[in-house]
Amino acid sequence: MTSREQDHTPRVPVLMLGQTLLVTLQGELQDAVAGQLQDDIVSRIAAGPVTGVVIDITGVDIVDSYLGRVLAEIASSARLMAARTVLAGMRPAVAITLAELGLTLPGLRTALDVGRALALLSHSPPTGSPPHPGRAHHADLC
Amino acid sequence: MQTSADTATTRLPIGSDADLAWVRQKVRQTATDSGFSLVQQTKLITAASELARNTLIHGGGGQLDMTVLHGGLRLTFTDSGPGIRDIEQAMTDGFTTGNGLGMGLSGAKRLVQDFSIESQPGQGTTVTVTALATPMPHPRPEHG
Amino acid sequence: MQVSEQDPAAGPAARKVGEFLRSRAEQIAQRWADAALFRTVFTVSRDEAVEACKAVVEALAEVAATGRPDDITAPGFHAVREQLGRMAATRARTGSTPAQVAGEVADLSRPAVTLLRGEFDDPAGGQAQDCVLALTVLMGTLRLVVMETTLSQGQELIERQRQQLLEVATPVIKLWEGIVAVPLIGTLDSARSQVVMESLLDAVVAERARYAILDITGVPTVDSLVAQHLMKTVAAARLMGAECIVSGIRPAIAQTIVHLGIDLGNVVTRSSLADALAHALRRQGSAVPPGTPAASLAP
């Protein structure tokens, strides 16, 4: 594990919209920043009434296996604390690369943009159960 | 007289988290200049990110040599770390000794056209990948 | 760029040829303008042909001046490479083979040699012979340069046509609000699968589509490689927040997939494009407000 220098690592802002956390990732994300974000989100969920987390990656042009792992772990931790995570706005080139890498992030719900992600969270009941592994991301719409 | 001015090599150090970001930026810039499409760039930068992180975490740091080829790019990652005892095992999906998803080497291989790895226990590791900027037609959705 | 003592005969003789080419550029150009190579390319105006000839003569003079008339990579050729390429392309479009074009270049040699011989008091003397030899070598090099350019032009043409075919063969259609589809016809190879994947995913973003349908009715066979490509496309679409449905799986293909032991995993499949559309509309129906066509059409 790389050590996280709490004082020097720049933080990604975590916004609160009702009971949903909104995180917007932009451009180049250093490993330590991603790790810090993971800690921040988990403690925010623990602190307040949070039922959903939306991570907007519209502005991210590279997702490698490290960032992929961080995103997957955020979703898993959130689920354990009864909050659902939606990954929004992945670009086609990033999606193609991840599919080629074999990194399909099966535990994560996805949406085309933040609007859809918020709609997805408000439409589905706030349960902490993991999504059915075989079903598509919006299976709980029906 | 036949100096190959078009095969310039750039060397970048890999010694810290910040260096990984620098590697990604330089690879992106060079790939753009070499005519890589957006998807090809993204694949190459992602592969470079995986390999550079391997160099940093498993090799204890090292360097990247980036060579512009005619219509492509060759990246060579070198470290003088402990080396890899079982390359075949290291190339298996899901095999990890670090903190990724175990997709580093095997995943990077799928993102490039050519991949070779040389390693001896105690003598470091060298990974060389080549990606080509094969021209792709521009996708043009038709609206019916 | 002076190269000394490389070939005692070629060096000085070649430089002398260079001087000759420079001083007689106009006469040579006038003769070449009537040769098949230039006449057939520059059909509109003869002056244009003469200008083009002069450019080539000047390039040759520059190469000769370096004393190495056999250097195909000589910088002197750079200036005319593009022009020669265009000429070669024009000849190729009218149906000339690279060999024919090369023959036409060879025909340029004779008028130039005749002029060169006229420069000497003793056209049979040793110095004249050396110069003629140097000019002949130089013209041979020009021929190689043209050949090389012609071949690369041909390759470019093939490459361009191949890409146009790829593009034409993968149109993405917007079937409904929020539903895009790509009907695939013909064999899916790696390059084409890549194009299909990119086109479909770009359309998902452009149309803000929730559903993307890959219709493989027109694909003759599905092997494990094709299946892998399909699954990658489905995975990538899901990562972006869209559901990808594979339709048009004919009975024979369904059996092949089973026999090959290919696991299509979580991929949603339908037997026809209509079924896939109905599935997408039904799923979308619960999310779209009532009154839209999607909701009213949903079974």
Side-chain angles (χ1 to χ4, degrees), chain C residues 226-254:
Chain C
V226 172
Q228 232 175 44
H229 281 303
L230 293 177
M231 296 190 52
K232 272 184 214 158
T233 309
V234 172
R238 194 201 74 86
L239 283 168
M240 290 173 54
E243 181 183 331
C244 191
I245 305 156
V246 179
S247 72
I249 301 184
R250 290 176 281 119
I253 287 191

mmCIF file of all heavy atoms in Angstrom, chain C residues 226-254:
data_model
loop_
_atom_site.group_PDB
_atom_site.id
_atom_site.type_symbol
_atom_site.label_atom_id
_atom_site.label_comp_id
_atom_site.label_asym_id
_atom_site.label_seq_id
_atom_site.Cartn_x
_atom_site.Cartn_y
_atom_site.Cartn_z
ATOM 1 N N VAL C 226 -15.586 -13.509 -32.899
ATOM 2 C CA VAL C 226 -16.711 -12.595 -33.078
ATOM 3 C C VAL C 226 -17.491 -12.476 -31.772
ATOM 4 O O VAL C 226 -17.868 -11.378 -31.349
ATOM 5 C CB VAL C 226 -17.629 -13.085 -34.222
ATOM 6 C CG1 VAL C 226 -18.895 -12.251 -34.288
ATOM 7 C CG2 VAL C 226 -16.891 -13.031 -35.554
ATOM 8 N N ALA C 227 -17.707 -13.626 -31.131
ATOM 9 C CA ALA C 227 -18.448 -13.615 -29.874
ATOM 10 C C ALA C 227 -17.741 -12.739 -28.849
ATOM 11 O O ALA C 227 -18.371 -11.975 -28.112
ATOM 12 C CB ALA C 227 -18.584 -15.039 -29.342
ATOM 13 N N GLN C 228 -16.401 -12.833 -28.843
ATOM 14 C CA GLN C 228 -15.623 -12.022 -27.911
ATOM 15 C C GLN C 228 -15.829 -10.530 -28.182
ATOM 16 O O GLN C 228 -16.000 -9.741 -27.259
ATOM 17 C CB GLN C 228 -14.144 -12.354 -28.112
ATOM 18 C CG GLN C 228 -13.425 -12.705 -26.848
ATOM 19 C CD GLN C 228 -12.006 -13.146 -27.166
ATOM 20 O OE1 GLN C 228 -11.324 -12.526 -27.966
ATOM 21 N NE2 GLN C 228 -11.580 -14.229 -26.550
ATOM 22 N N HIS C 229 -15.825 -10.174 -29.468
ATOM 23 C CA HIS C 229 -16.037 -8.782 -29.840
ATOM 24 C C HIS C 229 -17.424 -8.314 -29.402
ATOM 25 O O HIS C 229 -17.589 -7.209 -28.889
ATOM 26 C CB HIS C 229 -15.886 -8.599 -31.347
ATOM 27 C CG HIS C 229 -14.465 -8.540 -31.790
ATOM 28 N ND1 HIS C 229 -13.572 -7.621 -31.291
ATOM 29 C CD2 HIS C 229 -13.771 -9.286 -32.680
ATOM 30 C CE1 HIS C 229 -12.396 -7.815 -31.861
ATOM 31 N NE2 HIS C 229 -12.488 -8.814 -32.702
ATOM 32 N N LEU C 230 -18.418 -9.163 -29.607
ATOM 33 C CA LEU C 230 -19.774 -8.806 -29.200
ATOM 34 C C LEU C 230 -19.816 -8.552 -27.695
ATOM 35 O O LEU C 230 -20.391 -7.563 -27.233
ATOM 36 C CB LEU C 230 -20.756 -9.925 -29.566
ATOM 37 C CG LEU C 230 -20.985 -10.159 -31.064
ATOM 38 C CD1 LEU C 230 -21.925 -11.343 -31.279
ATOM 39 C CD2 LEU C 230 -21.560 -8.907 -31.721
ATOM 40 N N MET C 231 -19.159 -9.432 -26.950
ATOM 41 C CA MET C 231 -19.218 -9.288 -25.500
ATOM 42 C C MET C 231 -18.482 -8.043 -25.026
ATOM 43 O O MET C 231 -18.905 -7.399 -24.069
ATOM 44 C CB MET C 231 -18.661 -10.543 -24.835
ATOM 45 C CG MET C 231 -19.547 -11.714 -25.192
ATOM 46 S SD MET C 231 -19.245 -13.224 -24.298
ATOM 47 C CE MET C 231 -19.293 -12.724 -22.624
ATOM 48 N N LYS C 232 -17.384 -7.701 -25.731
ATOM 49 C CA LYS C 232 -16.664 -6.481 -25.368
ATOM 50 C C LYS C 232 -17.539 -5.254 -25.623
ATOM 51 O O LYS C 232 -17.558 -4.318 -24.814
ATOM 52 C CB LYS C 232 -15.380 -6.361 -26.200
ATOM 53 C CG LYS C 232 -14.195 -7.047 -25.584
ATOM 54 C CD LYS C 232 -12.970 -6.777 -26.447
ATOM 55 C CE LYS C 232 -12.029 -7.954 -26.442
ATOM 56 N NZ LYS C 232 -11.148 -7.971 -27.601
ATOM 57 N N THR C 233 -18.251 -5.274 -26.743
ATOM 58 C CA THR C 233 -19.124 -4.144 -27.062
ATOM 59 C C THR C 233 -20.214 -4.006 -26.013
ATOM 60 O O THR C 233 -20.524 -2.908 -25.551
ATOM 61 C CB THR C 233 -19.750 -4.341 -28.460
ATOM 62 O OG1 THR C 233 -18.713 -4.633 -29.377
ATOM 63 C CG2 THR C 233 -20.500 -3.108 -28.899
ATOM 64 N N VAL C 234 -20.790 -5.153 -25.639
ATOM 65 C CA VAL C 234 -21.835 -5.141 -24.622
ATOM 66 C C VAL C 234 -21.289 -4.594 -23.300
ATOM 67 O O VAL C 234 -21.915 -3.756 -22.646
ATOM 68 C CB VAL C 234 -22.407 -6.569 -24.436
ATOM 69 C CG1 VAL C 234 -23.350 -6.620 -23.248
ATOM 70 C CG2 VAL C 234 -23.111 -7.026 -25.707
ATOM 71 N N ALA C 235 -20.084 -5.045 -22.940
ATOM 72 C CA ALA C 235 -19.478 -4.598 -21.678
ATOM 73 C C ALA C 235 -19.204 -3.099 -21.709
ATOM 74 O O ALA C 235 -19.470 -2.383 -20.738
ATOM 75 C CB ALA C 235 -18.183 -5.367 -21.423
ATOM 76 N N ALA C 236 -18.680 -2.618 -22.854
ATOM 77 C CA ALA C 236 -18.352 -1.198 -22.956
ATOM 78 C C ALA C 236 -19.623 -0.354 -22.885
ATOM 79 O O ALA C 236 -19.656 0.684 -22.212
ATOM 80 C CB ALA C 236 -17.597 -0.919 -24.248
ATOM 81 N N ALA C 237 -20.692 -0.798 -23.560
ATOM 82 C CA ALA C 237 -21.953 -0.057 -23.530
ATOM 83 C C ALA C 237 -22.482 0.012 -22.098
ATOM 84 O O ALA C 237 -22.940 1.056 -21.645
ATOM 85 C CB ALA C 237 -22.985 -0.729 -24.445
ATOM 86 N N ARG C 238 -22.376 -1.099 -21.385
ATOM 87 C CA ARG C 238 -22.868 -1.116 -20.013
ATOM 88 C C ARG C 238 -22.082 -0.149 -19.139
ATOM 89 O O ARG C 238 -22.647 0.557 -18.305
ATOM 90 C CB ARG C 238 -22.768 -2.529 -19.418
ATOM 91 C CG ARG C 238 -23.575 -2.687 -18.132
ATOM 92 C CD ARG C 238 -23.124 -3.843 -17.275
ATOM 93 N NE ARG C 238 -21.862 -3.570 -16.584
ATOM 94 C CZ ARG C 238 -21.780 -2.939 -15.409
ATOM 95 N NH1 ARG C 238 -22.881 -2.522 -14.793
ATOM 96 N NH2 ARG C 238 -20.609 -2.710 -14.853
ATOM 97 N N LEU C 239 -20.757 -0.086 -19.358
ATOM 98 C CA LEU C 239 -19.935 0.836 -18.566
ATOM 99 C C LEU C 239 -20.362 2.277 -18.784
ATOM 100 O O LEU C 239 -20.221 3.127 -17.916
ATOM 101 C CB LEU C 239 -18.453 0.671 -18.953
ATOM 102 C CG LEU C 239 -17.758 -0.555 -18.366
ATOM 103 C CD1 LEU C 239 -16.415 -0.781 -19.024
ATOM 104 C CD2 LEU C 239 -17.588 -0.392 -16.851
ATOM 105 N N MET C 240 -20.893 2.552 -19.971
ATOM 106 C CA MET C 240 -21.333 3.915 -20.266
ATOM 107 C C MET C 240 -22.746 4.191 -19.788
ATOM 108 O O MET C 240 -23.220 5.318 -19.858
ATOM 109 C CB MET C 240 -21.260 4.158 -21.772
ATOM 110 C CG MET C 240 -19.832 4.227 -22.290
ATOM 111 S SD MET C 240 -19.813 4.306 -24.074
ATOM 112 C CE MET C 240 -20.876 5.712 -24.334
ATOM 113 N N GLY C 241 -23.421 3.148 -19.344
ATOM 114 C CA GLY C 241 -24.767 3.350 -18.842
ATOM 115 C C GLY C 241 -25.850 3.005 -19.837
ATOM 116 O O GLY C 241 -26.989 3.436 -19.703
ATOM 117 N N ALA C 242 -25.507 2.247 -20.871
ATOM 118 C CA ALA C 242 -26.514 1.818 -21.839
ATOM 119 C C ALA C 242 -26.592 0.299 -21.832
ATOM 120 O O ALA C 242 -25.642 -0.380 -21.456
ATOM 121 C CB ALA C 242 -26.154 2.314 -23.231
ATOM 122 N N GLU C 243 -27.737 -0.225 -22.251
ATOM 123 C CA GLU C 243 -27.851 -1.671 -22.350
ATOM 124 C C GLU C 243 -27.713 -2.057 -23.810
ATOM 125 O O GLU C 243 -28.345 -1.464 -24.676
ATOM 126 C CB GLU C 243 -29.188 -2.163 -21.806
ATOM 127 C CG GLU C 243 -29.304 -3.672 -21.871
ATOM 128 C CD GLU C 243 -30.666 -4.193 -21.394
ATOM 129 O OE1 GLU C 243 -31.282 -3.528 -20.538
ATOM 130 O OE2 GLU C 243 -31.095 -5.239 -21.879
ATOM 131 N N CYS C 244 -26.860 -3.047 -24.065
ATOM 132 C CA CYS C 244 -26.656 -3.490 -25.442
ATOM 133 C C CYS C 244 -27.363 -4.827 -25.635
ATOM 134 O O CYS C 244 -27.185 -5.754 -24.850
ATOM 135 C CB CYS C 244 -25.165 -3.625 -25.713
ATOM 136 S SG CYS C 244 -24.791 -3.857 -27.431
ATOM 137 N N ILE C 245 -28.206 -4.887 -26.668
ATOM 138 C CA ILE C 245 -28.954 -6.108 -26.951
ATOM 139 C C ILE C 245 -28.423 -6.686 -28.264
ATOM 140 O O ILE C 245 -28.259 -5.956 -29.233
ATOM 141 C CB ILE C 245 -30.461 -5.794 -27.103
ATOM 142 C CG1 ILE C 245 -30.959 -5.056 -25.858
ATOM 143 C CG2 ILE C 245 -31.259 -7.062 -27.356
ATOM 144 C CD1 ILE C 245 -32.196 -4.218 -26.117
ATOM 145 N N VAL C 246 -28.153 -7.971 -28.287
ATOM 146 C CA VAL C 246 -27.713 -8.614 -29.533
ATOM 147 C C VAL C 246 -28.921 -9.312 -30.145
ATOM 148 O O VAL C 246 -29.556 -10.155 -29.509
ATOM 149 C CB VAL C 246 -26.577 -9.627 -29.276
ATOM 150 C CG1 VAL C 246 -26.155 -10.287 -30.588
ATOM 151 C CG2 VAL C 246 -25.384 -8.930 -28.639
ATOM 152 N N SER C 247 -29.253 -8.936 -31.364
ATOM 153 C CA SER C 247 -30.422 -9.546 -31.998
ATOM 154 C C SER C 247 -30.034 -10.233 -33.291
ATOM 155 O O SER C 247 -28.928 -10.076 -33.799
ATOM 156 C CB SER C 247 -31.485 -8.482 -32.274
ATOM 157 O OG SER C 247 -31.069 -7.649 -33.327
ATOM 158 N N GLY C 248 -30.976 -11.016 -33.817
ATOM 159 C CA GLY C 248 -30.756 -11.677 -35.102
ATOM 160 C C GLY C 248 -29.914 -12.928 -34.986
ATOM 161 O O GLY C 248 -29.176 -13.281 -35.900
ATOM 162 N N ILE C 249 -30.035 -13.613 -33.841
ATOM 163 C CA ILE C 249 -29.292 -14.856 -33.697
ATOM 164 C C ILE C 249 -30.109 -15.971 -34.338
ATOM 165 O O ILE C 249 -31.082 -16.449 -33.773
ATOM 166 C CB ILE C 249 -28.998 -15.135 -32.213
ATOM 167 C CG1 ILE C 249 -28.191 -13.958 -31.660
ATOM 168 C CG2 ILE C 249 -28.231 -16.435 -32.057
ATOM 169 C CD1 ILE C 249 -27.734 -14.120 -30.250
ATOM 170 N N ARG C 250 -29.705 -16.373 -35.532
ATOM 171 C CA ARG C 250 -30.430 -17.408 -36.261
ATOM 172 C C ARG C 250 -30.181 -18.759 -35.600
ATOM 173 O O ARG C 250 -29.182 -18.930 -34.884
ATOM 174 C CB ARG C 250 -29.956 -17.428 -37.725
ATOM 175 C CG ARG C 250 -30.424 -16.193 -38.479
ATOM 176 C CD ARG C 250 -29.868 -16.172 -39.891
ATOM 177 N NE ARG C 250 -28.477 -15.728 -39.916
ATOM 178 C CZ ARG C 250 -27.477 -16.458 -40.362
ATOM 179 N NH1 ARG C 250 -27.683 -17.681 -40.803
ATOM 180 N NH2 ARG C 250 -26.260 -15.983 -40.376
ATOM 181 N N PRO C 251 -31.107 -19.731 -35.841
ATOM 182 C CA PRO C 251 -30.961 -21.045 -35.176
ATOM 183 C C PRO C 251 -29.577 -21.655 -35.378
ATOM 184 O O PRO C 251 -28.972 -22.148 -34.418
ATOM 185 C CB PRO C 251 -32.035 -21.890 -35.867
ATOM 186 C CG PRO C 251 -33.051 -20.917 -36.350
ATOM 187 C CD PRO C 251 -32.333 -19.633 -36.644
ATOM 188 N N ALA C 252 -29.062 -21.578 -36.616
ATOM 189 C CA ALA C 252 -27.747 -22.196 -36.888
ATOM 190 C C ALA C 252 -26.671 -21.549 -36.027
ATOM 191 O O ALA C 252 -25.784 -22.227 -35.491
ATOM 192 C CB ALA C 252 -27.406 -22.040 -38.364
ATOM 193 N N ILE C 253 -26.764 -20.223 -35.897
ATOM 194 C CA ILE C 253 -25.755 -19.514 -35.106
ATOM 195 C C ILE C 253 -25.905 -19.833 -33.626
ATOM 196 O O ILE C 253 -24.920 -20.030 -32.916
ATOM 197 C CB ILE C 253 -25.826 -17.997 -35.389
ATOM 198 C CG1 ILE C 253 -25.260 -17.745 -36.789
ATOM 199 C CG2 ILE C 253 -25.098 -17.200 -34.334
ATOM 200 C CD1 ILE C 253 -25.022 -16.308 -37.139
ATOM 201 N N ALA C 254 -27.158 -19.937 -33.185
ATOM 202 C CA ALA C 254 -27.395 -20.291 -31.790
ATOM 203 C C ALA C 254 -26.750 -21.632 -31.485
ATOM 204 O O ALA C 254 -26.096 -21.808 -30.450
ATOM 205 C CB ALA C 254 -28.903 -20.340 -31.513
#
